[in-house]
Amino acid sequence: MREVAIVGIGITKFGETWEMSFREIGIQAGLMAMQDAKLTAEDIDALYVGNMSAGRYIEQEHIAALIADYSGLARDHIPATRVEAAGASGGLAVRQAYMAVASGMHDIIVVGGAEKMTDVGDAASNAIQSSAADQQWESVFGATSPSLHAMIARRHMFQYGTTREQIAQVAVKNHRHGALNPNAQFQKEIDLKTVLRSGMVADPLGVFDCAPISDGAAAVILCPMDMARKYTDAPIRILASAQASDTLALHSRSDICTFEATKFAAMNAYRQAGIASKDVQIAEVHDDFTISEILAIEDLGFFEKGQGGKATEDGQTAIGGSIAINTSGGLKARGDPLGATGVAQIVELVQQLRGQAGKRQVGGAKYALAQNVGGTGATAVVHILGVQ
Amino acid sequence: MTTARFWRDNATRYNLIATKCGNCGKVTFPPRNVCPVCHRKSMGKMEKIHLSGHGEVYSFSVVYDAPLAFEMQKPYVIAIIKMAEGVMLTAQIIDCECCEVAIGMKVKATLRKIGEEGPGGVIHYGYKFVPA
């Protein structure tokens, strides 16, 4: 297998971008990434697009060819492929592209992730998001994405003594980080009271425990490491790419306080990169709900099972703490345009490793990790990046 | 959900039919063709059984922000129930106040209306749970 580098990144502002269509946001991120790598259209061998549900959000399927077309690549006839794994679609698109470059099949690949969620109303959007769960045996009885995560939260509180306040601290910390990110949907700090007093969505989780509905797109350019210097002075190496699956329904697991898919993907990623969890200084994890970040930092091995809430409360996961988690603001504050999220995580880590993260820069990081999750952990994708 | 897509699983939703692996004895719900433990050894040996309907609350949430189809029911309790046979499933808990529900609470299954396909559409039935 060939070593793979990231040589270009692009990201749109996340939020409610009513003035821009799906294709416009997708292309904007892709063109920014191409400009960053100083690529021309002729250089590109393939396109991968992470997207969860364009069919239901904008009634448009076949979006990989659409993005290639509107990026001006129709006459180049490059292979364009859409990748779907609910909220993990973006991370999975990066992984598909990584495998294509590593295998020698393609040299230069543009990986995009995009979702346009605000063209439908809130109720419709929530129903679409909940379709990542088991429709026949969870959703049909009234389970929603927030309520499934709320059941995880309640069980975590029961089994480990995690407090409601500790869970809420994830939102406080991620909003503090988001306030330093000019592309974040929410760039405003919030206090603990705001989270605890926010309207109930699914007890014990309130509005401020949930990632928002967002429009947005992100893109990265991958190429073989030995070609990377042609495009950038600061190539970032993909040290590991791993993926795992688990039961679709949460109730089919013996323990809902651990995402085994995250653990398996992480174990394989650490082995491939030849590092341990303690070597990671920065991580972007899938905080679609506050409780999800607590599970993530435990399952990735950063903290003991059951200690994630306390570690968050103690400030260990903030910028300046023992490991900086979600420096971008995470899904909570940066926004969570489903298919874009996994790619946006990689963009943030590349900015950090290049030293281009502005006010939220973490100094001297050598290893960075991204964890992208679909549904309640039926898919997990883990990437580890390192400076060249 | 379309009529046929719901109707296909009616037997299981009405009667809590699970499968028991003839090789290792593991119970799975909803019914499966292959045991997740024994894989190929279980094929052709997955026996259908009726769950007793008795169980206890493993975890739960009170849903305030409900999908359109459940708008009239909110707030309602959704729970993961650990059945006496060891298998878990997701269902609503009814006929009690939200604040009465707790992890470990004993519950039993009952047959209730789950939803309907619009005002003139087919009504779907299935299991919900009540305090035991």
Side-chain angles (χ1 to χ4, degrees), chain A residues 284-365:
Chain A
E284 287 287 301
V285 306
H286 200 90
D287 61 319
D288 52 348
F289 297 91
T290 44
I291 184 64
S292 312
E293 178 166 318
I294 289 172
L295 255 64
I297 60 178
E298 294 169 351
D299 296 340
L300 292 166
F302 301 146
F303 300 97
E304 290 287 309
K305 181 52 69 182
Q307 295 301 308
K310 185 169 188 310
T312 305
E313 191 172 47
D314 292 347
Q316 292 189 56
T317 59
I319 295 171
S322 60
I323 178 167
I325 303 288
N326 283 330
T327 55
S328 66
L331 283 60
K332 177 71 205 75
R334 181 192 53 220
D336 181 21
L338 311 165
T341 286
V343 185
Q345 292 179 323
I346 302 290
V347 168
E348 173 69 14
L349 298 182
V350 169
Q351 285 179 330
Q352 286 285 353
L353 292 172
R354 282 178 176 176
Q356 295 175 342
K359 287 182 191 163
R360 60 188 195 284
Q361 182 66 48
V362 174

Side-chain angles (χ1 to χ4, degrees), chain A residues 36-276:
Chain A
D36 185 40
K38 301 175 205 69
L39 283 182
T40 60
E42 294 75 34
D43 295 323
I44 299 167
D45 295 321
L47 171 73
Y48 285 82
V49 183
N51 172 263
M52 174 173 166
S53 201
R56 291 180 72 188
Y57 279 117
I58 59 165
E59 293 178 48
Q60 177 71 61
E61 305 289 11
H62 211 173
I63 53 128
L66 167 77
I67 297 290
D69 178 9
Y70 275 77
S71 303
L73 298 169
R75 290 174 66 184
D76 300 284
H77 305 292
I78 59 161
T81 309
R82 171 185 172 176
V83 179
E84 190 275 316
S89 301
L92 204 50
V94 173
R95 178 167 157 76
Q96 295 302 310
Y98 165 83
M99 292 193 291
V101 174
S103 71
M105 180 67 84
H106 295 303
D107 285 334
I108 312 284
I109 300 187
V110 180
V111 189
E115 207 81 49
K116 179 78 191 169
M117 299 171 73
T118 64
D119 278 0
V120 298
D122 283 5
S125 185
N126 289 339
I128 297 168
Q129 280 174 272
S130 292
S131 68
D134 190 327
Q135 289 293 291
Q136 302 282 99
W137 302 102
E138 291 180 314
S139 312
V140 82
F141 296 102
T144 57
S145 183
S147 62
L148 290 167
H149 287 85
M151 287 196 274
I152 297 173
R154 178 164 271 115
R155 190 72 199 180
H156 204 280
M157 293 162 83
F158 176 80
Q159 274 179 221
Y160 301 109
T162 301
T163 66
R164 176 70 189 96
E165 288 74 18
Q166 289 171 343
I167 294 172
Q169 288 290 0
V170 171
V172 175
K173 186 261 299 174
N174 286 350
H175 270 260
R176 197 158 68 232
H177 290 177
L180 306 173
N181 180 358
N183 285 318
Q185 182 162 356
F186 301 128
Q187 297 174 34
K188 190 168 179 278
E189 292 194 25
I190 53 171
D191 60 16
L192 188 62
K193 252 189 245 163
T194 307
V195 185
L196 296 176
R197 288 180 183 172
S198 65
M200 248 335 154
V201 174
D203 183 57
L205 303 181
V207 173
F208 277 89
D209 290 282
C210 311
I213 291 168
S214 323
D215 303 328
V220 296
I221 314 278
L222 306 191
C223 82
M225 197 48 153
D226 55 17
M227 290 172 64
R229 293 278 169 190
K230 199 173 138 191
Y231 302 103
T232 179
D233 294 331
I236 300 301
R237 189 187 290 265
I238 300 182
L239 294 164
S241 173
Q243 174 193 353
S245 61
D246 202 346
T247 64
L248 189 64
L250 192 62
H251 61 231
S252 302
R253 319 234 179 106
S254 56
D255 177 8
I256 65 171
C257 293
T258 296
F259 282 175
E260 290 288 340
T262 296
K263 279 182 78 169
F264 268 75
M267 187 177 70
N268 288 330
Y270 290 137
R271 189 184 300 141
Q272 190 190 349
I275 65 167

Side-chain angles (χ1 to χ4, degrees), chain A residues 136 142 151 154-155 203 251, chain B residues 9 58-62 76 90:
Chain A
Q136 302 282 99
M151 287 196 274
R154 178 164 271 115
R155 190 72 199 180
D203 183 57
H251 61 231
Chain B
D9 293 319
Y58 174 81
S59 193
F60 70 98
S61 173
V62 185
Y76 59 89
T90 300

